[in-house]
Amino acid sequence: GATFPLASMGDCAVNCNNRHEIFAFHMAGRLEPIISRRYSLAEFAKGLALLRDGKAQGKIILEARP
């Protein structure tokens, strides 16, 4: 996998290479986001509380569907 040292955060060339590497992983199907929970927009406060309390293990998805 890719590792991105904190020291490279301000280096534009390194950051550009990192983005290219991440995009290549995405295009190759090697990235799979971790989704903790899905909430409707009406339930966004529940998702926000999960993030605030540090209980989300991945992404919180807010769905805009009725």
Side-chain angles (χ1 to χ4, degrees):
T3 58
F4 306 113
L6 192 56
S8 69
M9 293 293 285
D11 186 336
C12 186
V14 171
N15 287 335
C16 186
N17 287 336
N18 290 347
R19 284 192 303 273
H20 286 292
E21 189 173 0
I22 289 171
F23 188 72
F25 286 162
H26 167 70
M27 294 302 294
R30 294 178 59 193
L31 295 180
E32 185 174 333
I34 298 171
I35 299 172
S36 288
R37 302 237 174 107
R38 294 177 185 268
Y39 292 101
S40 68
L41 283 177
E43 298 178 305
F44 82 95
K46 290 180 184 179
L48 189 60
L50 204 65
L51 290 171
R52 179 196 64 219
D53 297 340
K55 295 183 178 177
Q57 296 296 313
K59 304 293 182 192
I60 302 295
I61 306 296
L62 293 178
E63 295 180 335
R65 296 182 202 142

mmCIF file of all heavy atoms in Angstrom, residues 8 40 49:
data_model
loop_
_atom_site.group_PDB
_atom_site.id
_atom_site.type_symbol
_atom_site.label_atom_id
_atom_site.label_comp_id
_atom_site.label_asym_id
_atom_site.label_seq_id
_atom_site.Cartn_x
_atom_site.Cartn_y
_atom_site.Cartn_z
ATOM 1 N N SER A 8 6.123 15.029 4.416
ATOM 2 C CA SER A 8 5.945 15.367 3.001
ATOM 3 C C SER A 8 4.731 16.256 2.760
ATOM 4 O O SER A 8 4.460 16.647 1.633
ATOM 5 C CB SER A 8 5.805 14.088 2.172
ATOM 6 O OG SER A 8 4.571 13.454 2.458
ATOM 7 N N SER A 40 -30.369 9.041 6.751
ATOM 8 C CA SER A 40 -31.118 9.964 5.903
ATOM 9 C C SER A 40 -30.762 11.379 6.356
ATOM 10 O O SER A 40 -30.228 11.582 7.452
ATOM 11 C CB SER A 40 -32.620 9.730 6.051
ATOM 12 O OG SER A 40 -33.039 10.106 7.352
ATOM 13 N N ALA A 49 -23.366 12.995 15.772
ATOM 14 C CA ALA A 49 -23.038 12.561 17.137
ATOM 15 C C ALA A 49 -22.039 11.401 17.111
ATOM 16 O O ALA A 49 -21.135 11.342 17.951
ATOM 17 C CB ALA A 49 -24.305 12.153 17.875
#
